[in-house]
Amino acid sequence: MNYYSGDTAQPTAIGGRMFTERGTGVCVKLADFLSIIAKMEQPLVIFTSEGYFTKIYKYVTAYKGFVFFTESLDRLEFRSNVEVIHAQSLCTDI
């Protein structure tokens, strides 16, 4: 099944999400995100925080060709083998 054609990505709405040739983003629950991180030998997590009065932390990682992201009201602490990068912003509108 082909959702785009040509040299440039033609986004197609499927189930309310946007898919392009850049890949697929998967929004998961926090517990599932932590489970994915635990499966990886040397995981990389990128996060950002948004909001003035209520901070929302957004986390992203890549696993088996998919980009997984989640949100939390709490800043997560990771094991020492997890490389963590604090980004200025993240776009989860994939």
Side-chain angles (χ1 to χ4, degrees):
M1 186 181 290
N2 190 3
Y3 296 114
Y4 59 88
S5 61
D7 293 335
T8 60
Q10 297 295 319
T12 304
I14 301 172
R17 293 310 238 166
M18 297 301 286
F19 293 86
T20 68
E21 66 184 23
R22 294 184 191 130
T24 302
V26 182
C27 182
V28 295
K29 293 180 181 178
L30 181 58
D32 294 329
F33 185 85
L34 295 173
S35 175
I36 291 166
I37 296 296
K39 294 177 184 181
M40 298 166 30
E41 254 184 60
Q42 295 179 320
L44 169 67
V45 174
I46 302 170
F47 83 99
T48 190
S49 59
E50 298 178 355
Y52 284 109
F53 300 109
T54 302
K55 289 278 187 199
I56 297 175
Y57 296 92
K58 294 184 177 186
Y59 296 89
V60 177
T61 195
Y63 182 68
K64 292 192 176 185
F66 290 90
V67 176
F68 293 92
F69 57 93
T70 194
E71 294 180 347
S72 174
L73 292 175
D74 300 314
R75 184 171 179 170
L76 302 177
E77 295 293 326
F78 295 100
R79 299 182 319 242
S80 61
N81 72 321
V82 179
E83 184 176 354
V84 179
I85 296 175
H86 186 192
Q88 279 187 300
S89 66
L90 289 173
C91 177
T92 55
D93 296 331
I94 295 175

